Amino acid sequence: MSIRLGDEAPDFKAQTTQGEINFHEWKGKGWAVLFSHPKDFTPVCTTELGAVAALRPEFEKRNTKVIGLSVDPLDSHVKWEGDIEEVTGHAVNFPMIADPDKKVADLYGMIHPNANDTMTVRSVFVVGPDNKIKLTLTYPASTGRNFQELLRVLDSLQLTAGYQVATPADWKDGDDVIVVPAVSDDEARKKFPRGFVAKKPYLRITPQPNK
Ligand code: BEZ
């Protein structure tokens, strides 16, 4: 099954390193990042899980819960956590789903058989407060993800959910933003009291409204 932006994030029940969860209930009314990794006790995945653990305070600031997944069993996840802390210096502080029967992996299309028919790829799903999919990413097993980029995307998603703006290439929190084309110049003057610069009629730049 392929999951597309705007779809409802499928709900599921799963065993995790922090007990059994129902995804929607666990997520609550905030944001969530659900990400898969290919396999426990592998090098790139070890660095990734340590990186996510280190960033937990940053995800919390963004009202975002993080949950990992692979098709390995629970006892494997638990044993591997010791290695992750030893190697990266960060104890795994978020749940990891054990999905040996591939139930969740199949539900979210995390197995790409032409890449590998047994392991999950490096999928990321950002789920909004309304349980809708706001972002998907897919990386191959050989490329570890940039989790700072995920924080940047969360900043953009959360900003654009509240204001009629979009964020330009390489934007980061605090930079100027773009007034969306659906807003007329007259409306923009009212909505953005600090004004805007029209580089083109369709490209209007304004200071980030919530700063
Ligand atoms: C890794 O995490 O290093 C990895 C996992 C599966 C295949 C290749 C690399």
Side-chain angles (χ1 to χ4, degrees):
M1 175 171 165
S2 92
I3 302 226
R4 290 171 291 194
L5 301 188
D7 289 355
E8 167 118 345
D11 198 15
F12 57 83
K13 186 192 273 197
Q15 299 296 331
T16 83
T17 48
Q18 296 184 3
E20 187 174 275
I21 63 150
N22 289 295
F23 181 59
H24 284 184
E25 191 182 22
W26 169 83
K27 183 192 142 300
K29 293 187 190 314
W31 293 70
V33 172
L34 167 64
F35 72 102
S36 58
H37 63 270
K39 198 167 173 48
D40 293 359
F41 297 101
T42 52
V44 176
C45 298
T46 300
T47 63
E48 283 197 327
L49 270 72
V52 174
L55 289 175
R56 174 148 176 204
E58 292 300 322
F59 285 108
E60 275 176 356
K61 271 189 220 163
R62 292 159 178 84
N63 190 25
T64 301
K65 291 183 173 178
V66 180
I67 190 162
L69 175 148
S70 81
V71 295
D72 296 289
L74 198 58
D75 63 334
S76 164
H77 283 352
V78 172
K79 280 190 207 128
W80 184 37
E81 284 188 342
D83 283 6
I84 295 167
E85 181 169 10
E86 185 190 324
V87 171
T88 69
H90 299 288
V92 178
N93 48 18
F94 54 88
M96 272 199 275
I97 296 166
D99 191 33
D101 57 5
K102 304 184 173 66
K103 198 182 78 179
V104 182
D106 285 341
L107 197 58
Y108 276 78
M110 292 165 164
I111 294 180
H112 294 204
N114 292 325
N116 188 297
D117 58 4
T118 53
M119 296 187 295
T120 41
V121 291
R122 299 189 194 279
S123 297
V124 183
F125 299 90
V126 176
V127 185
D130 57 359
N131 287 346
K132 298 278 169 54
I133 300 286
K134 305 298 181 188
L135 170 126
T136 65
L137 281 175
T138 308
Y139 277 45
S142 51
T143 304
R145 286 157 286 196
N146 182 334
F147 290 95
Q148 294 284 350
E149 165 63 1
L150 211 46
L151 295 174
R152 190 191 76 87
V153 171
L154 279 165
D155 286 339
S156 172
L157 289 169
Q158 294 181 354
L159 175 70
T160 59
Y163 297 89
Q164 285 182 294
V165 296
T167 58
D170 299 330
W171 174 87
K172 54 188 187 326
D173 191 38
D175 289 351
D176 289 349
V177 299
I178 292 169
V179 180
V180 295
V183 176
S184 70
D185 284 356
D186 281 348
E187 285 172 322
R189 281 183 204 100
K190 289 184 206 133
K191 283 180 192 289
F192 306 107
R194 284 181 282 173
F196 60 86
V197 174
K199 294 185 179 246
K200 290 283 175 191
Y202 56 84
L203 175 50
R204 295 165 298 170
I205 306 293
T206 190
Q208 184 173 327
N210 61 350
K211 290 281 172 185

